[in-house]
């Protein structure tokens, strides 16, 4: 890594820190030539293949904006959306692939969105899974109801 101050071709790592979410590493570097200090942030590259075939870098902001639309008027905060986007990123990175289908990102959003707000989940699912009839809504709501009926805690024996 070239020194940004004097363009010296080498630099020494003086500190490495993993970010809180474990998805990036921040390195403090020092130039042995001029002594200048700078930081680099290292993340594994993760690209999204859109339906149009266009490839673009994964963006948490895009995940958040997609989920935000579905959450309009719902009691969901920006912090909730940020946590959702982080969990989506963790899910897609866990696949171990550096190129993810936009479709798989949509799938990865559905789970955490459902935990967050069921109305937002239905909205997102209706667009994302292209619901085209009342029956589609009915079956999605039926699934949510079935989960509600399931006992959350094991009965004490
Ligand atoms: Zn330098």
């Amino acid at each position: 890594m070239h020194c940004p101050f004097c363009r010296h071709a080498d630099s020494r790592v003086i500190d490495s820190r993993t970010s809180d979410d474990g998805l990036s590493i921040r390195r403090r570097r020092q130039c042995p030539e001029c002594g200048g200090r700078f930081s680099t942030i290292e993340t594994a590259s993760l690209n999204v293949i859109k339906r149009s075939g266009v490839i673009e870098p994964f963006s948490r902001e895009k995940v958040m904006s997609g989920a935000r639309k579905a959450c309009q008027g719902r009691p969901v905060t920006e912090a909730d959306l940020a946590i959702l986007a982080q969990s989506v990123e963790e899910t897609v990175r866990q696949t171990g692939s550096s190129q993810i289908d936009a479709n798989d990102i949509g799938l990865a959003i559905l789970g955490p969105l459902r935990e967050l707000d069921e109305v937002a989940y239905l909205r997102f699912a209706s667009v994302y899974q292209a619901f085209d009839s009342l029956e589609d809504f009915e079956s999605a709501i039926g699934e949510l109801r079935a989960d509600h009926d399931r006992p959350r805690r094991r009965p004490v024996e």
Side-chain angles (χ1 to χ4, degrees), residues 114-133:
R114 181 170 162 169
E115 295 290 311
L116 207 53
D117 188 276
E118 289 178 339
V119 171
Y121 163 79
L122 279 176
R123 286 177 185 158
F124 188 85
S126 72
V127 174
Y128 170 74
Q129 295 177 321
F131 287 10
D132 59 6
S133 66

Side-chain angles (χ1 to χ4, degrees), residues 88-110:
V88 167
E89 178 168 1
E90 281 164 9
T91 304
V92 296
R93 281 193 187 273
Q94 269 164 17
T95 64
S97 172
S98 64
Q99 290 208 342
I100 307 288
D101 229 67
N103 215 45
D104 292 335
I105 307 238
L107 279 177
I109 291 174
L110 282 173

